Amino acid sequence: MAELTNIKSPRVKAARRLTKRAFRDRDRAFLAEGPQAVREALALKDVTVELFTTVEAETRHADIVAAALAAGVPVHRASGEVMSELTQTVTPQGLLAVCRFVHVPLAEAVPRGARLVAILAHVRDPGNAGTVLRTADAAGADSVVFTDASVDPYNGKCVRASAGSLFHLPVVTGTPVADAVRHAREAGLRVLAADGAGTRTLDEVAMDVPTAWLFGNEAWGLPPELLALADEVVRVPIYGRAESLNLATAAAVCLYASARAQRQTLHSVEDPTTPAL
């Protein structure tokens, strides 16, 4: 396998331009960096377009390279200089995949019977957004909705922060907040807005019913017109002296409160003789 060494080669330039949203949208493709993201991308059929790897990464992650080749994905050996040109991290991990968009329509992501959904409204920080996506995946959520005023989930930092979860659960992009909330309610989900303005805390609200959580901007939260869309505004209780929690942490607390309560209820229904956890 010949090594790519020219950062100005057409193949490298075509991949490098995917660091910009306009080109991602035009090509309907994005970059997934690192072994975890690449491994999860390859687990989905027809998602990975091509793979770039350094010699060192090719040896260290031989299983990933073998999986790519077995799936018919072109693999390009790249020099350290080329990999640095392609990646957006200070210390590249040596594996980078070009992937097709994976988002799905709202109706597919939030069907009737869904029990836990995260809706991101005006969330602009890609690291926070990717962490919420990862947390939603870990909590067993059905999907995550990136509304039209939120960050692009295919932003490189967001993809890295999701740690492969972008490829695990349905993701929606570009939906207006009001449409996402209306559809969630029509699908049978209660809509709770997480905000410090809430009159009740998580401790005071039933968490065991199907819920779509509405999360707002990192700096200013949810504006009044979006709070008005929710069935109720709920705040995370602060027991210590901290002024507040950041978005990703608050989202984790909310999503896990719902997931735990729902699982306890399901467990008690399946086996009513077993004490609650």
Side-chain angles (χ1 to χ4, degrees):
M1 185 191 306
E3 184 176 66
L4 288 171
T5 58
N6 183 2
I7 63 174
K8 295 183 179 180
S9 71
R11 189 180 301 281
V12 174
K13 290 173 68 175
R16 180 72 176 88
R17 70 182 185 178
L18 297 178
T19 59
K20 298 187 180 301
R21 183 168 188 171
F23 288 109
R24 290 196 297 270
D25 289 342
R26 191 180 79 175
D27 295 351
R28 297 190 61 77
F30 67 103
L31 301 176
E33 180 183 352
Q36 178 65 18
V38 173
R39 184 179 289 109
E40 301 309 319
L42 286 168
L44 296 179
K45 185 178 180 181
D46 297 329
V47 166
T48 308
V49 176
E50 57 185 339
L51 176 65
F52 294 87
T53 177
T54 61
V55 173
E56 181 183 3
E58 186 179 352
T59 301
R60 180 179 300 176
H61 304 290
D63 59 324
I64 297 177
V65 175
L69 292 170
V73 174
V75 176
H76 313 295
R77 186 176 295 152
S79 67
E81 184 181 12
V82 166
M83 190 61 70
S84 295
E85 180 71 14
L86 290 174
T87 60
Q88 296 175 284
T89 53
V90 176
T91 307
Q93 298 181 64
L95 283 176
L96 183 98
V98 175
C99 302
R100 296 183 177 90
F101 279 2
V102 295
H103 61 267
V104 299
L106 181 62
E108 180 180 332
V110 189
R112 279 208 161 269
R115 297 195 59 83
L116 185 58
V117 174
I119 301 174
L120 305 186
H122 300 282
V123 174
R124 306 291 177 82
D125 181 84
N128 267 328
T131 302
V132 173
L133 175 54
R134 181 180 183 180
T135 301
D137 179 22
D142 294 280
S143 57
V144 176
V145 180
F146 285 71
T147 59
D148 55 359
S150 288
V151 67
D152 175 18
Y154 301 118
N155 172 288
K157 187 175 181 180
C158 187
V159 175
R160 291 192 299 276
S162 80
S165 289
L166 175 63
F167 303 104
H168 290 170
L169 76 172
V171 171
V172 179
T173 66
T175 298
V177 179
D179 290 353
V181 168
R182 181 174 58 253
H183 179 81
R185 195 172 284 120
E186 291 172 351
L189 293 143
R190 170 189 60 176
V191 179
L192 295 181
D195 195 90
T199 56
R200 293 205 291 169
T201 70
L202 281 176
D203 299 336
E204 300 167 326
V205 178
M207 289 287 111
D208 60 348
V209 300
T211 300
W213 279 101
L214 184 61
F215 301 114
N217 182 270
E218 299 83 352
W220 60 80
L222 290 162
E225 63 271 20
L226 296 188
L227 292 175
L229 296 175
D231 297 311
E232 186 167 1
V233 181
V234 181
R235 72 179 189 275
V236 175
I238 301 292
Y239 302 121
R241 297 173 60 187
E243 179 186 3
S244 62
L245 296 173
N246 70 13
L247 167 66
T249 303
V253 172
C254 293
L255 290 168
Y256 265 91
S258 289
R260 184 171 185 271
Q262 290 180 17
R263 290 176 67 84
Q264 285 181 331
T265 298
L266 179 62
H267 185 74
S268 64
V269 169
E270 291 177 344
D271 186 0
T273 63
T274 302
L277 297 176

